[in-house]
């Protein structure tokens, strides 16, 4: 069967990607710029066959996603997340758990990073659930200086208080790892050994709009697993391979077992760094990261089918169809709102 | 404020580095892990400065290579930034010059990929300086390391083709400076918003531009560095600032005191941050002779 390119790829014609002499390069828009970065890979990617082995993936017939109320960061997140684990039927006894929060930058009074209270609450909940080991790790894509980020965000103090180990994924040992899908047209990527050693990976993003990808949630969060000391800051190879393609290949390869999304205070507008904080008041959880991200997209007024990487992932990784997502905790309607997005992303609101 | 016992702290940093050396003479980022190029270079420089003999380059002599690049991770593309830094490390020893002629040729030849200009990212996309890995765009840190390396290299091995690369590297750093001075990873304005600089990248870019100190951007960035270092604190940020101020001939007293206090407070975390330990030792060691980062 011929591979049908994802939504973003069908919108790209070769002429759009290669500006001609009559078109000023300075006129390239966001879409054009992203497309140009991805052009060589997308062109090569238009080949026979799916960019994944369908025998290795099973899309669940239904997926459960829980939205659990958290009005502020003062709530007991260990209790809240323990409840989520129970409602989702997650068993962690004896597991080696790796928590991957989202840390990018630090600026006071912003909502850039997963809140330390949510991260540490999740770690405590995993321990209570019988996890053999809980490790927290992140590899920020802009700032190399993890010591500064950990101190400035307050995560360092909270982790030390609970005696939880932190791993800097940018500087960990790495192993060349075969990619489980090839939307990027790549076969392998160096990934951190500490992540690969884990037998239960939890993606813990901050819910944000993202000016390139549309949405930062549990799948986009996996960019932080790619080691900067190998690929640099920013992780430009992922841009070159195509951001949606890279998100899908990373998700297919890392296969996070659970997503825990910090949507207590999210970010709207020009995310993932320069946007505005926006109180939402919940933590989202689910074992299907595609379904979790699709649900969070709906909450903030975006159509998941319009987000390239969700559209691609729905082919083989998870569920985006609302009719196949079982809601736990609170209904989407309780939190449904309309986030501001940059003008170039307004199309993400449109129904398909 | 209690005066730090500077000699004892430096001695402890030195001991920590020696204890964390791998059996093959290299250093990892985290104790007990695999030896890597960047922490090895920093450790060699720091221990060489502490011992007064300059870096012992044996570990770099035997480093695995491919097409004259020093390979940090088998199977991964060569890291151009750390190769530039390795060149700087080798040049800290007179006999190190013999080691790096092939590497210098590689660095001169390497060029960041060219991408079209964009109306959403403000930068001069025509400037192809140095990227982290081949085939990607030019960024601040690899450009700063390769630029510093070539500026030192041409002092004893004039290479006309290097002059052009140095010029492009300088133009890129000037182009990528943030609006109020300083540098981050390499973007200054995205979707109309000015991005802020970071202390470590600012210090590094300034070192690479130390011979252009009269440029307004350099003066502005020095001022920005001295302002930001008061709030953006880590062992690597403070250490790089000290080294930077030292090569510019600017007193570093307060930053040194801050770094002594920080390294003492962070002692339980040294094993997880050998890069910071090595940078701190290099920065705090009074040393003799020329600084490896000075032109």
């Amino acid at each position: 069967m011929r591979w049908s390119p994802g939504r973003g790829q069908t919108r790209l014609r070769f002429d759009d990607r290669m500006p001609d002499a009559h078109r000023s390069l300075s006129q390239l828009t966001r879409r054009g710029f992203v497309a140009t970065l991805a052009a060589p890979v997308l062109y090569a990617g238009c080949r026979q066959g799916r960019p994944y082995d369908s025998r290795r993936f099973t899309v669940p017939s239904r997926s459960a996603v829980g939205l659990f109320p958290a009005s502020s960061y003062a709530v007991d997140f260990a209790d809240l997340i323990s409840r989520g684990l129970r409602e989702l039927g997650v068993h962690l006894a004896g597991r080696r758990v790796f928590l991957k929060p989202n840390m990018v930058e630090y600026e006071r009074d912003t909502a850039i990073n997963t809140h330390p209270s949510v991260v540490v609450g999740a770690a405590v909940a995993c321990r209570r659930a019988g996890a053999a080991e809980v490790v927290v790790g992140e590899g920020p894509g802009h700032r190399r200086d993890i010591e500064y980020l950990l101190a400035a965000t307050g995560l360092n103090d909270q982790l030390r208080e609970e005696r939880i180990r932190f791993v800097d994924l940018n500087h960990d040992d790495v192993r060349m790892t075969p990619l489980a899908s090839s939307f990027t047209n790549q076969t392998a990527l160096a990934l951190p050994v500490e992540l690969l050693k884990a037998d239960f990976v939890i993606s813990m993003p901050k819910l944000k709009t993202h000016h390139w990808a549309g949405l930062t949630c549990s799948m986009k969060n996996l960019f932080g697993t790619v080691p900067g000391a190998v690929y640099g800051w920013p992780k430009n190879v992922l841009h070159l391979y195509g951001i949606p393609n890279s998100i899908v290949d990373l998700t297919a390869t890392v296969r996070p077992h659970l997503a825990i999304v910090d949507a207590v205070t999210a970010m709207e507008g020009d995310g993932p760094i320069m946007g505005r904080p926006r109180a939402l008041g919940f933590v989202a959880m689910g074992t299907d990261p595609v379904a979790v991200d699709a649900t969070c997209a709906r909450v903030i007024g975006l159509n998941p089918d319009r987000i390239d990487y969700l559209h691609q992932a729905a082919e083989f990784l998870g569920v985006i169809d609302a009719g196949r997502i079982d809601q736990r905790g609170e209904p989407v309607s309780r939190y449904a709102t309309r986030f501001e997005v940059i003008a170039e992303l307004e199309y993400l609101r449109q129904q398909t | 404020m209690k005066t730090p016992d500077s000699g004892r702290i430096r001695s402890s940093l030195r001991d920590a580095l020696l204890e964390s050396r791998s059996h093959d003479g290299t250093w990892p980022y985290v104790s007990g892990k695999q030896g890597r190029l960047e922490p090895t270079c920093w450790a060699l420089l720091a221990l060489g400065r502490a011992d007064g003999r300059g870096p012992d380059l044996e570990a770099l002599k035997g480093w695995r290579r491919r097409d004259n690049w020093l390979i940090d991770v088998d199977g991964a593309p060569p890291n151009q930034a750390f190769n530039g830094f390795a060149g700087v490390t080798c040049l800290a020893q007179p006999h190190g010059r013999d080691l790096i002629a092939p590497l210098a040729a590689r660095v001169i030849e390497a060029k960041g990929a060219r991408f079209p200009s964009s109306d959403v990212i403000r930068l001069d996309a025509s400037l192809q300086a140095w990227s982290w890995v081949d085939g990607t765009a030019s960024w601040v840190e690899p450009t700063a390391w390769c630029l510093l390396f070539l500026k030192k290299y041409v002092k004893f091995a004039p290479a006309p083709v290097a002059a052009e690369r140095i010029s492009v590297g300088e133009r890129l750093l000037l182009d990528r400076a943030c609006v109020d001075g300083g540098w981050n990873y390499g973007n200054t304005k995205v979707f109309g918003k000015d991005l802020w600089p970071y202390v470590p990248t600012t210090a590094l870019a300034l070192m690479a531009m130390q011979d252009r100190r009269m440029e307004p951007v350099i003066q502005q960035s020095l001022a920005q560095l001295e302002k930001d270092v008061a709030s953006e604190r880590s062992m690597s940020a403070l250490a790089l600032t000290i080294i930077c101020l030292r090569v510019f001939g600017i007193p570093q007293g307060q930053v040194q005191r801050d770094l002594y206090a920080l390294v003492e407070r962070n002692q339980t975390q040294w094993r997880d941050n050998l890069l910071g330990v090595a940078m701190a030792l290099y920065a705090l060691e009074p040393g003799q002779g020329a600084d490896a980062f000075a032109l």
Side-chain angles (χ1 to χ4, degrees):
Chain A
M1 178 187 283
R2 186 176 173 79
W3 170 50
S4 171
R7 177 167 301 277
Q9 292 158 344
T10 59
R11 283 198 292 263
L12 300 173
R13 297 187 308 275
F14 192 72
D15 287 345
D16 294 332
R17 298 193 304 260
M18 304 298 287
D20 60 32
H22 304 292
R23 185 177 173 196
S24 165
L25 291 178
S26 67
Q27 296 305 305
L28 272 181
T29 61
R30 169 199 166 273
R31 304 287 302 283
F33 185 76
V34 174
T36 306
L37 288 177
V41 174
L42 292 178
Y43 184 63
C46 294
R47 62 194 187 286
Q48 295 291 325
R50 291 190 175 100
Y52 54 88
D53 180 349
S54 56
R55 293 168 299 185
R56 293 182 61 186
F57 298 94
T58 305
V59 178
S61 55
R62 304 192 67 78
S63 291
V65 175
L67 304 181
F68 302 104
S71 57
S72 77
Y73 289 107
V75 308
D76 186 333
F77 286 99
D79 276 356
L80 183 149
I81 291 166
S82 293
R83 176 192 160 199
L85 295 175
R86 284 193 303 274
E87 293 206 18
L88 293 164
V90 174
H91 301 289
L92 295 175
R95 299 284 193 107
R96 188 176 202 153
V97 177
F98 191 96
L99 301 179
K100 162 62 181 75
N102 184 206
M103 295 173 69
V104 190
E105 289 267 9
Y106 175 74
E107 186 73 1
R108 187 184 294 273
D109 300 326
T110 58
I112 298 171
N113 307 306
T114 310
H115 197 282
S117 298
V118 182
V119 179
V120 174
V124 172
C126 291
R127 279 182 176 165
R128 286 181 190 166
E133 183 185 20
V134 181
V135 176
V136 176
E138 164 66 312
H142 288 178
R143 280 201 188 256
R144 278 195 75 172
D145 193 349
I146 195 73
E147 182 190 343
Y148 163 72
L149 271 183
L150 285 170
T153 58
L155 182 58
N156 193 48
D157 288 344
Q158 292 204 31
L159 291 174
R160 289 177 80 171
E161 201 170 307
E162 293 292 339
R163 296 180 177 275
I164 298 163
R165 189 160 65 96
F166 181 88
V167 177
D168 177 359
L169 296 182
N170 279 328
H171 298 98
D172 191 26
D173 284 354
V174 298
R175 190 188 308 151
M176 291 307 293
T177 306
L179 294 175
S181 64
S182 55
F183 284 83
T184 58
N185 215 31
Q186 303 300 303
T187 57
L189 203 59
L191 288 176
V193 168
E194 290 278 359
L195 174 80
L196 299 172
K197 281 194 313 195
D199 54 22
F200 198 93
V201 176
I202 303 180
S203 180
M204 296 196 64
K206 167 73 85 179
L207 176 58
K208 297 183 284 190
T209 52
H210 191 288
H211 55 212
W212 302 122
L215 176 77
T216 283
C217 208
S218 70
M219 294 174 65
K220 173 65 178 69
N221 184 39
L222 298 178
F223 267 36
T225 64
V226 175
V230 176
Y231 296 106
W233 289 264
K235 296 162 184 182
N236 197 205
V237 290
L238 303 180
H239 305 155
L240 191 71
Y241 299 158
I243 291 172
N245 299 335
S246 297
I247 293 172
V248 176
D249 279 358
L250 277 169
T251 306
T253 304
V254 175
R255 297 298 290 270
H257 301 80
L258 181 68
I260 302 176
V261 183
D262 172 6
V264 180
T265 300
M267 177 184 280
E268 67 176 351
D270 185 11
I273 295 167
M274 305 302 279
R276 282 177 300 280
R278 174 85 180 262
L280 278 182
F282 69 87
V283 169
M285 293 176 65
T287 54
D288 175 349
V290 183
V292 171
D293 290 12
T295 301
C296 288
R298 288 192 176 92
V299 167
I300 64 174
L302 304 182
N303 178 357
D305 200 46
R306 289 267 174 194
I307 296 170
D308 292 342
Y309 65 85
L310 286 177
H311 185 87
Q312 291 169 348
E315 289 180 32
F316 71 115
L317 282 176
V319 173
I320 66 171
D321 176 4
R324 290 166 54 201
I325 296 175
D326 298 323
Q327 215 60 52
R328 306 284 164 77
E330 303 298 313
V332 169
S333 58
R334 173 173 170 180
Y335 302 107
T337 185
R338 182 184 166 92
F339 266 27
E340 284 185 21
V341 293
I342 58 171
E344 290 87 344
L345 292 180
E346 281 293 337
Y347 74 96
L348 295 180
R349 301 187 197 281
Q350 296 164 6
Q351 294 307 305
T352 44
Chain B
M1 183 180 165
K2 189 181 164 191
T3 306
D5 183 349
S6 53
R8 177 183 57 77
I9 292 172
R10 289 200 307 275
S11 179
S12 299
L13 288 168
R14 184 178 176 279
D15 291 346
L17 271 188
L18 289 172
E19 285 166 14
S20 58
R21 179 163 52 187
S22 304
H23 60 85
D24 61 356
T26 65
W27 275 264
Y29 285 106
V30 174
S31 276
K33 301 217 171 194
Q34 292 172 359
R36 301 283 289 273
L37 185 56
E38 187 190 25
T40 296
C41 289
W42 273 110
L44 294 175
L45 285 170
L47 292 170
R49 188 171 173 87
D51 295 343
R53 294 196 297 267
D56 173 357
L57 300 179
E58 280 305 308
L60 293 181
K61 275 184 192 165
W63 201 274
R64 55 195 178 276
R65 292 165 195 256
R66 189 171 71 232
D67 298 333
N68 290 324
W69 288 114
L70 279 65
I71 297 300
D72 189 32
V73 172
D74 287 331
N79 187 307
Q80 296 180 13
F82 302 155
N83 270 268
F85 178 35
V88 172
T89 305
C90 288
L91 288 176
Q93 277 290 8
H95 71 270
R97 296 170 185 175
D98 303 333
L99 283 176
I100 47 136
L103 175 59
R106 265 303 192 189
V107 168
I108 289 169
E109 188 181 53
K111 196 181 273 191
R114 181 168 184 168
F115 293 102
S117 296
S118 156
D119 60 355
V120 292
I121 301 179
R122 191 227 61 79
L123 53 80
D124 182 348
S126 71
L127 296 171
Q128 295 175 264
W130 285 275
S131 58
W132 284 96
V133 295
D134 190 36
T136 58
S138 308
W139 300 100
V140 164
E141 192 168 337
T143 296
W145 279 125
C146 292
L147 187 57
L148 184 59
F149 170 43
L150 287 188
K151 283 183 174 181
K152 291 179 74 73
Y153 180 74
V154 296
K155 284 184 179 270
F156 71 88
V161 67
E164 167 62 16
R165 298 299 295 138
I166 287 171
S167 169
V168 172
E170 288 185 336
R171 283 156 56 204
L172 182 123
L173 289 182
L174 292 172
D175 179 64
R176 302 290 180 92
C178 295
V179 63
D180 293 323
W183 287 265
N184 55 35
Y185 57 90
N187 275 339
T188 62
K189 191 171 207 166
V190 179
F191 286 105
K193 302 229 174 70
D194 292 318
L195 305 185
W196 52 82
Y198 310 154
V199 164
T201 34
T202 297
L204 191 54
L206 280 168
M207 283 191 262
M209 297 290 280
Q210 60 190 275
D211 54 342
R212 301 288 300 272
R213 63 185 63 199
M214 299 316 292
E215 289 272 357
V217 171
I218 304 306
Q219 291 298 318
Q220 194 183 22
S221 298
L222 271 170
Q224 188 71 33
L225 177 69
E226 292 188 272
K227 173 172 162 271
D228 288 349
V229 77
S231 57
E232 190 183 317
R233 308 166 81 79
S234 69
M235 293 209 292
S236 56
L238 294 177
L240 284 168
T241 300
I242 290 168
I243 299 167
C244 175
L245 295 178
R246 190 157 65 207
V247 301
F248 273 86
I250 297 170
Q252 316 108 52
Q254 184 57 51
V255 191
Q256 281 191 343
R257 285 189 288 277
D258 291 345
L259 181 54
Y260 274 117
L262 186 65
V263 294
E264 193 158 48
R265 201 162 59 240
N266 283 358
Q267 194 153 2
T268 58
Q269 298 178 17
W270 285 3
R271 287 176 52 83
D272 292 333
N273 185 9
L274 293 177
L275 203 59
V277 168
M279 287 177 173
L281 177 59
Y282 187 89
L284 294 173
E285 188 59 49
Q288 296 164 14
D291 192 294
F293 299 93
L295 291 173

